[in-house]
Amino acid sequence: MLNMIWGGMILIGIVYGSLTGHMAEVTNAALDSSREAVNLCITMIGVMALWMGLMEIAEKAGLIDKWTKAISPFVSFMFPNIPREHMARKYISTNIIANVLGLGWACTPAGLKAMEELAKLEAERGNTAHLSDGKEAGGKRERIASNEMCTFLILNISSLQLIPVNMIAYRQQYGSVNPSEIIAPAIVATFISTLVAVVYCKVMGRKCD
């Protein structure tokens, strides 16, 4: 769907440029944007390498395990039906920690692993698949996300961030005088979004139960 939207926007721009005699501007804009995209990618690769390296050092030093234990009560509160020793809890905790530190790249692998473990947990419960309205869709059984999967996805999207690394890097790349001034507003905004997510998940979880 996104490919169709972006493709349509590009096509409209080209057609409009050709009809109004501004094809030179369209071409220049495309070339400038391509060059800027490459420069931004190079900048973000450096930032990503730095923070991924720090996360690796923190894991080797045992800090991740300590942080995981520190947020264990929160994980138990949000996911009361996940056994304490299940691997899903570890990946969920790692994902939350990476998100809080603003490391979007580092939290993605942990998030995927968490979803895999949650799917295994559903399989252990005998809920590997459900039929939509009691029928098969296209000859295949439709998989429906569990409450834990939905809760994790909502938390992942709304996660509190203490250091918005991505935004700071973007602001620095585009010449902001004080790139880090976004930290305080980001903390407030993500705290509110996380609080809303927690309330929503608990309310909807009770309705589903």
Side-chain angles (χ1 to χ4, degrees):
M1 187 63 177
L2 286 177
N3 290 338
M4 294 177 62
I5 293 174
W6 281 107
M9 291 174 64
I10 293 172
L11 183 60
I12 291 172
I14 294 174
V15 172
Y16 181 81
S18 62
L19 292 178
T20 57
H22 291 89
M23 278 305 296
E25 287 83 351
V26 172
T27 302
N28 291 334
L31 294 176
D32 291 341
S33 298
S34 299
R35 182 173 61 253
E36 188 174 324
V38 172
N39 291 334
L40 180 60
C41 286
I42 293 174
T43 300
M44 298 309 294
I45 287 173
V47 175
M48 178 178 66
L50 172 63
W51 284 98
M52 289 288 286
L54 291 176
M55 280 290 290
E56 189 71 20
I57 293 172
E59 185 174 1
K60 294 285 176 68
L63 291 177
I64 299 298
D65 291 335
K66 292 182 180 179
W67 293 340
T68 299
K69 291 179 181 178
I71 67 171
S72 181
F74 175 75
V75 175
S76 297
F77 173 70
M78 295 304 302
F79 304 93
N81 296 324
I82 298 179
R84 184 168 291 274
E85 301 301 324
H86 200 278
M87 283 298 296
R89 285 178 60 100
K90 176 183 177 181
Y91 291 122
I92 289 172
S93 299
T94 302
N95 179 271
I96 292 174
I97 292 169
N99 261 324
V100 168
L101 296 177
L103 309 178
W105 311 283
C107 74
T108 300
L112 295 176
K113 285 289 186 180
M115 280 297 188
E116 290 179 4
E117 292 299 326
L118 290 174
K120 291 179 183 178
L121 181 60
E122 283 299 290
E124 293 169 5
R125 294 170 176 170
N127 298 325
T128 54
H130 305 276
L131 291 180
S132 177
D133 297 328
K135 299 179 181 179
E136 292 193 358
K140 297 181 180 179
R141 295 171 69 89
E142 291 187 350
R143 292 185 180 275
I144 298 177
S146 65
N147 288 343
E148 287 88 355
M149 289 179 177
C150 294
T151 298
F152 173 65
L153 182 61
I154 293 171
L155 285 178
N156 185 61
I157 294 172
S158 65
S159 177
L160 170 69
Q161 287 193 7
L162 298 180
I163 309 173
V165 178
N166 289 2
M167 193 59 64
I168 292 174
Y170 293 146
R171 287 169 59 85
Q172 185 177 25
Q173 174 69 18
Y174 290 109
S176 173
V177 177
N178 186 6
S180 61
E181 68 179 356
I182 194 69
I183 291 178
I187 291 175
V188 174
T190 55
F191 174 79
I192 294 174
S193 66
T194 301
L195 182 61
V196 172
V198 170
V199 173
Y200 176 82
C201 289
K202 300 307 290 186
V203 170
M204 296 304 296
R206 289 180 181 178
K207 288 185 178 181
C208 292
D209 293 340

